[in-house]
Structure formats: C-alpha cells, structure tokens
Amino acid sequence: MKELIKKVVEAYGPAGNEAKIREVITEEVSPYVDEIKVDALGNLIAVKRGGEKKIMFAAHMDEIGVMVTHIDKHGFLRFYPVGGLSPLTLIGNRVIFENGTVGVISNEKLEAQKDLTLNKLFIDIGADTKEQALEKVNIGDVAAINREYVDLGKRLISKAMDDRIACVILIEALKKVTKPAYDIYAVFTTQEEVGLRGARVAAYGISPDLGIAIDVTRTGDTPESATMDVSLGKGPTVKIRDSSLLCTPSVRRYMEDVAKANGIEYQLEVLEAGGTDAGAIQLTKGGIPAGVMSVPCRYIHTASEMIDYNDVVNGVKLITAIMETEFTGALSHYITT
Ligand code: CO
Ligand code: ZN
C-alpha cells in the first residue's frame, strides 16, 4: 500500500485542477468497480453494485495551492491562496505548476514578524523579466506544494496527505470489499479545500441514503498543542463534530458498532475548527444522514503532513467493514407514521 500512497500523494491536483490526480485514481479503481463517471465539477464517481440502499463515500482529491495573481517586471509572481494557507509555513518552500515549473517562495523585508502576511510573499521561478516568466506561467495558473513523500517506517510524511491518504483508503477498500451491503458510490471529490463544492453536487446527483466522508483531522499530541483527544497511532476516528456538521447520531453509532464488531481500534473526534465534505452531503436535498472517519494528521496544510501507517491500515479495515455492514439505524430523527 505504501507504493500507492507515494504515487497518490505526489500527484499534482490543487482545487479546480484535479485532472492529473483523477487520472491516477481512475486507473487504480477501474478494475474493481462496475461503473465510473466524471460529473461537471470533475468529481470521479466509482460505483460498485451490491444492495438496495445507496451509500456515498467522499474522499477529496484536491489539495491546497497558490494561484498567480500578478507578475512584476522582474519576473516575480504574486499569488492568492487556494484553500487555507499560513504564510508561516510557506517561506523557503517550493511550489510546482502543472507544466512542471518549480518556484521558491520568499518574502519582502518585514518591520516585524507579525507583518508576515500572504501579500508580503512572492514566488521566484528563476525568471529575470516579466516576459521570461510568461514563457512558463500565466495569470490564474495554480501551483501545488512541491515536496516528496518520506517513509519513516511507522510514520509517513508528505504534502497532500490531506486528503490523498483518504483517497488511498477508499481505493484499498474498493479492492478488498467482497460482499457489499449497498450500492457503493465511491466519490473522489473536487474543490473541497475551497468550500466543499464537489461533494455538494455529487451528493445531489447521487441522492444517497447515507454519506460518509473520509478526511484527515488535527491531533493534540505535539508540544503545547491545542487540547484535543486525538493522537497519531491510536486508530482512525469516528467524528462527532467539526465546523461543517454535527454528525448524524445514528450514523456515528453505526460506525462505532461496526468498528467494535470487527475489533478495529478507533478514537472519538471533536474537531474545533475545519470542515469536511460530510457537511455538504448532510445539507443536500431534504437532508442526508452523514458521518466522517478521519485519519489523525499532524501539521495539516503544510509541506510536511505526518500520519501513522497503522491508522491507515485500520482505516481501510473500518471502511471495508462499513461497506459490508448494512445500516439499520434511523434515517431520520423525526419518524412519522
Ligand atoms: Co484540507
Ligand atoms: Zn481535507
């Protein structure tokens, strides 16, 4: 599985520019599903038939990036963030455009460190003039973080673990599932990082009976980190809330029951800031029961996101078990007769 992780995390694909990563995933899942389609937002929808109810899984294939807004006469690029980016993590880092052009991010002179904002940063692609820069990039082009995957054994580091590690989990579960209890709609969504956009239209189009997003979540296990009862290596999480949703109680219970029945270690997750595709799914049409499984991840939205391999292995087990276990909980809080 590590080979697949390397291939998937290293692929280029900032929000709105998912063609390359979609190609990689299409190739991986094609042999294991009954049907594959791509919708108008670029979502990759892989369907595996097996039951009466429809379950939708969402793993976003887009990553954060930077969009060129201006090129000055000396060939330096200014940019706008695609997704949540902190200037603190960008200086000295490299970015790569879809055509392979690499640039380094640096900063103007600052009076004080608190003056460090994104508009004090620029990208140097090695051009001396605007004309030279324009031979390689144009206004509106988007670059992703350029950093290779590292295998530390137990722990893995890369850019775009958010959320390619979830794409890998979903791919692996599709390979492993033998008796699907549902019609499985495995959706590799687009534009999550700019507002859960792909998942919103995919959920509307599919109209599933329930939806489960797979994403990364923060941890509380680094020096002086915010208080959070999630750690690397203690299993994937069953989410209770994030900024985009309160997980549907029956779905959360179902996920916990499946984990317990299969002896899969898991953690309960309360994420104070940050949203997931499940938030968009839940608010689709007349409301869709939704939950989330997360992979604990340190240093989210940096060039070096760190996860624990064992959490990925257990994540594949949990998603596979969910695919094979019918949901019998309430599909609504308000049962009418
Ligand atoms: Co993210
Ligand atoms: Zn994410």
Side-chain angles (χ1 to χ4, degrees):
M1 182 159 60
K2 283 182 173 177
E3 234 166 81
L4 179 64
I5 294 174
K6 176 176 165 60
K7 188 158 138 193
V8 170
V9 295
E10 287 189 346
Y12 169 93
N17 297 266
E18 296 93 350
K20 282 192 171 165
I21 177 62
R22 185 168 51 240
E23 226 171 85
V24 170
I25 296 174
T26 302
E27 201 178 296
E28 290 295 328
V29 296
S30 296
Y32 304 97
V33 295
D34 300 312
E35 204 180 304
I36 282 194
K37 47 197 167 186
V38 177
D39 70 13
L41 270 270
N43 292 300
L44 173 64
I45 303 171
V47 188
K48 192 176 180 93
R49 307 259 170 230
E52 274 158 30
K53 286 197 184 91
K54 288 190 271 188
I55 188 168
M56 169 177 167
F57 292 94
H60 68 89
M61 57 182 171
D62 62 310
E63 62 185 313
I64 52 170
V66 294
M67 182 184 283
V68 177
T69 53
H70 175 75
I71 304 171
D72 75 16
K73 62 180 186 217
H74 301 296
F76 294 103
L77 320 178
R78 298 292 172 150
F79 62 90
Y80 189 77
V82 176
L85 275 178
S86 163
L88 284 176
T89 65
L90 289 177
I91 296 167
N93 262 312
R94 295 174 197 174
V95 293
I96 185 164
F97 289 87
E98 191 160 21
N99 67 7
T101 299
V102 171
V104 59
I105 298 184
S106 196
N107 59 292
E108 300 170 7
K109 186 167 160 245
L110 302 165
E111 292 302 322
Q113 210 166 345
K114 67 170 170 41
D115 296 334
L116 181 62
T117 53
L118 288 175
N119 54 22
K120 300 280 191 209
L121 304 183
F122 55 82
I123 304 170
D124 184 347
I125 56 166
D128 285 324
T129 64
K130 181 170 185 173
E131 289 65 38
Q132 277 181 20
L134 280 168
E135 285 167 17
K136 293 176 168 181
V137 301
N138 211 335
I139 302 300
D141 286 359
V142 176
I145 290 170
N146 182 24
R147 191 60 85 84
E148 78 289 359
Y149 162 86
V150 177
D151 179 356
L152 298 177
K154 193 160 71 120
R155 303 271 157 88
L156 311 176
I157 309 170
S158 177
K159 63 94 176 168
M161 282 296 180
D162 175 13
D163 190 25
R164 304 286 174 71
I165 200 62
C167 295
V168 169
I169 288 173
L170 193 48
I171 293 166
E172 288 291 315
L174 285 171
K175 289 179 183 173
K176 290 206 163 66
V177 61
T178 50
K179 287 196 193 77
Y182 306 89
D183 277 355
I184 298 167
Y185 289 74
V187 186
F188 300 89
T189 63
T190 55
Q191 299 189 34
E192 190 273 350
E193 296 291 2
V194 291
L196 324 178
R197 294 177 191 169
R200 183 165 299 132
V201 301
Y204 192 96
I206 293 164
S207 197
D209 293 289
L210 72 154
I212 292 175
I214 313 168
D215 211 324
V216 295
T217 192
R218 297 190 181 282
T219 65
D221 60 354
T222 53
E224 297 190 44
S225 60
T227 306
M228 186 172 175
D229 276 10
V230 172
S231 307
L232 292 200
K234 292 187 178 168
T237 78
V238 172
K239 192 190 287 280
I240 297 166
R241 73 85 67 189
D242 63 33
S243 308
S244 67
L245 89 161
L246 296 164
C247 291
T248 309
S250 57
V251 177
R252 178 198 141 190
R253 273 196 299 275
Y254 158 70
M255 293 174 72
E256 284 194 73
D257 288 347
V258 173
K260 283 175 193 154
N262 292 276
I264 302 164
E265 192 182 25
Y266 70 96
Q267 314 178 60
L268 290 176
E269 172 203 345
V270 175
L271 179 63
E272 294 191 14
T276 48
D277 278 343
I281 297 169
Q282 192 183 46
L283 300 183
T284 294
K285 292 193 168 173
I288 293 170
V292 181
M293 184 193 84
S294 304
V295 178
C297 182
R298 292 177 183 166
Y299 326 124
I300 291 178
H301 286 197
T302 74
S304 302
E305 299 176 333
M306 180 189 283
I307 52 126
D308 189 290
Y309 185 67
N310 215 21
D311 294 338
V312 184
V313 171
N314 283 315
V316 173
K317 282 186 194 158
L318 181 52
I319 294 299
T320 308
I322 287 171
M323 287 175 172
E324 294 181 340
T325 311
E326 203 188 339
F327 176 76
T328 52
L331 287 169
S332 162
H333 289 305
Y334 307 103
I335 314 293
T336 53
T337 50

